DNA sequence: GGTCGATTTTGATTTCAGTCAAGTTGGGTA
DNA sequence: TACCCAACTTGACTGAAATCAAAATCGACC
């Protein structure tokens, strides 16, 4: 029986946390993990639709997702929401607020989520005397930068089918990194949210899902996704064919 | 006589550098700037089309632009170039390589550029005993993250006119930050490159420039840009009108 | 000053995704 | 169980930007 993604449970300490290698503590010496644990605060779970923090709110902490899933979004000048990312367990949220002292975006739970809060002032103090932690922070920031770049890339002149294929493959990879199936998983967000992130309206999302299914690339049942032909998906997402520019 | 942007000259040391407040040394105590200076290497100028580094190359240093302008771009699977950013004096390049040990993208001079090279291993060592530098690095990374997010935002479901208006206003602001005119400046890149960055083909770029000019928002002469109606530009770029979603 | 290639422009046409308008489905709850 | 609202789907139509094709302009170099 294939196990469907739930991304649940992890122990109370960073030492035992199943997400250790994805999260802040990765590669830290044992005693440094101990120190980090000293400042991490476990919050009571945030339920679906609840805020971890709101845009404009004073920046005090960064947050690591332990279970569940979170979206970050900004309200644009005209009142529309723009979703800037989806965050799975082990990922760190709020790093974009370090410059400005205020959170530029809101973080909202897509499903009940447990969260580790890490007060930034204390993290900064700790990292002053913990080189390994300092390096780890730089690496995480750099990783985020790469992720954002790859999103830019995705939004820049790619067809709806390609965008969807890319994002499904990325989720596949991220679930696999968390020890879950790469081929069968449950998307934590609505089509509306995913479309918002991809720059596509819900109608297009619906039609695009259908087309991928008709081509035998995926099998869709609500939010449950099965990647049927991973090779063809990759060809569509990254392949030479389908580029809108390639004028051979 | 209005001074047209050239973004030239700055002294040999970080202390005297006109770009100090934009670049790494900002807010550092004098003695820390001295230490930073100790590891910064001044390279001989890179001429138009020359590489600061190439994608795939081993990551050793980050780079700060002193004069000129630089683009960073990746080669996609199908052979197309995707331009991920344009970099003006005072900006730091290469931070996206920290995670992977290799540069994910290439950096190419758009016009003759002088560059400061900062070996990352030495920077890391130095920042271990220089908290202010450490904080500065985190802030710069966070700033980059914000910039990437705002690019995402830009590419996500905005019209060609809006994209161009936003990017012109951003350049305006960046030139102003460097003490140059916010209303008259010279874009350092070709329309092809700017279009690539914005996800638009050159034909559309041309037509969109023309439309902005016809509406009396800007005045264009080759790469020389004059912002004629800054208010209307902002209304177009950020205003309530022009949202593709607002179904009032 | 003239030449060649790259860059930019212009026009005609096509196409993909957005818009508008109605359903349909499905999850939550009274 | 039945109701309700939100999420999703479907179909017809529209429109903005891509594509295709060709000409004009620019600018670097001899």
């Amino acid at each position: 029986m294939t196990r469907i993604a739930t991304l649940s449970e992890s122990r109370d300490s960073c030492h035992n946390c199943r997400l250790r290698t994805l999260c802040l503590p990765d590669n830290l010496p044992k005693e440094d993990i101990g120190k980090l644990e000293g400042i991490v605060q476990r919050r009571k779970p945030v339920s679906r639709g609840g805020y971890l923090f709101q845009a404009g709110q004073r920046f005090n902490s960064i947050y690591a997702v332990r279970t569940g899933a979170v979206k970050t979004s900004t309200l644009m000048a005209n009142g529309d929401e723009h979703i800037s990312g989806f965050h799975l367990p082990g990922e760190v949220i709020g790093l974009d607020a370090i410059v400005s002292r205020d959170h530029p975006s809101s973080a909202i739970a897509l499903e009940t989520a447990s969260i580790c809060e890490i007060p930034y002032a204390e993290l900064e103090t700790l990292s002053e005397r913990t080189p390994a932690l300092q390096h780890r922070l730089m690496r995480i920031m750099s990783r985020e930068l790469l992720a954002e770049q790859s999103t830019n890339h995705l939004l820049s002149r790619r067809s709806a089918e390609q965008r969807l294929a890319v994002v499904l493959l990325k989720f596949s990879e991220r679930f696999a990194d968390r020890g879950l199936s790469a081929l069968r998983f449950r998307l934590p967000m609505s089509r509306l949210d995913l479309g918002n992130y991809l720059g596509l309206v819900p109608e297009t999302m619906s039609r695009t899902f259908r087309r991928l299914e008709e081509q035998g690339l995926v099998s869709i049942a609500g939010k449950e996704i099965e990647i049927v032909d991973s090779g063809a998906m990759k060809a569509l997402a990254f392949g030479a064919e389908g580029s809108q520019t390639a004028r051979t």
Side-chain angles (χ1 to χ4, degrees), chain A:
Chain A
M1 191 179 98
T2 315
R3 179 179 176 191
I4 295 289
T6 45
L7 293 173
S8 53
E9 82 278 339
S10 57
R11 293 282 176 278
D12 292 278
S13 77
C14 293
H15 277 109
N16 308 330
C17 184
R18 295 201 299 116
L19 302 160
R20 193 174 9 86
T21 57
L22 295 164
C23 192
L24 271 168
D26 182 46
N27 268 332
L28 295 193
K30 265 218 178 79
E31 71 264 30
D32 290 347
I33 298 189
K35 290 192 241 165
L36 180 62
E37 254 172 44
I39 65 168
V40 172
Q41 297 167 11
R42 304 264 140 54
R43 298 172 118 213
K44 68 169 190 291
V46 182
S47 53
R48 184 186 155 83
Y51 285 90
L52 276 67
F53 51 81
Q54 293 203 39
Q57 195 173 307
R58 180 63 177 271
F59 169 63
N60 291 310
S61 302
I62 61 174
Y63 301 83
V65 181
R66 249 198 318 165
T67 66
V70 173
K71 69 174 175 181
T72 44
S73 75
T74 52
L75 218 53
M76 316 203 307
N78 55 33
D80 291 359
E81 179 184 22
H82 173 77
I83 295 175
S84 49
F86 300 105
H87 310 277
L88 301 183
E91 292 173 350
V92 179
I93 306 176
L95 297 166
D96 55 358
I98 293 173
V99 241
S100 64
R101 316 181 71 89
D102 293 322
H103 284 285
S105 49
S106 303
I108 301 163
L110 290 165
E111 49 193 42
T112 303
S114 51
I115 304 292
C116 296
E117 175 172 354
I118 303 131
Y120 188 66
E122 297 179 42
L123 182 64
E124 228 176 9
T125 310
L126 179 57
S127 77
E128 281 172 18
R129 45 198 169 74
T130 316
L133 179 57
Q134 200 185 126
H135 298 173
R136 182 62 192 148
L137 275 168
M138 289 297 285
R139 293 176 72 85
I140 286 179
M141 296 282 274
S142 178
R143 184 180 68 183
E144 290 300 307
L145 222 47
L146 271 178
E148 294 286 346
Q149 273 178 26
S150 115
T151 305
N152 283 352
H153 188 129
L154 169 67
L155 294 172
S156 189
R157 321 214 307 96
R158 304 183 80 85
S159 70
E161 274 184 31
Q162 286 184 305
R163 294 182 198 198
L164 186 53
V166 169
V167 89
L168 290 179
L169 287 173
K170 280 203 191 155
F171 273 110
S172 161
E173 203 182 317
R174 287 160 79 192
F175 284 121
D177 288 344
R178 286 160 182 76
L180 300 167
S181 166
L183 298 179
R184 264 171 81 75
F185 50 87
R186 185 174 197 284
L187 290 177
M189 80 293 292
S190 71
R191 257 142 237 228
L192 190 91
D193 279 353
L194 191 58
N196 181 309
Y197 174 72
L198 292 175
L200 301 169
V201 295
E203 294 94 323
T204 303
M205 289 300 291
S206 175
R207 287 187 249 264
T208 308
F209 266 113
R210 181 152 50 82
R211 264 183 282 149
L212 290 188
E213 197 164 27
E214 280 166 6
Q215 290 169 54
L217 304 189
V218 293
S219 159
I220 313 283
K223 292 181 171 154
E224 303 287 342
I225 309 291
E226 182 176 2
I227 296 185
V228 175
D229 187 342
S230 151
M233 281 286 277
K234 283 174 190 152
L236 170 59
F238 311 112
E241 224 52 55
S243 158
Q244 294 181 14
T245 320
R247 305 180 185 181
T248 325

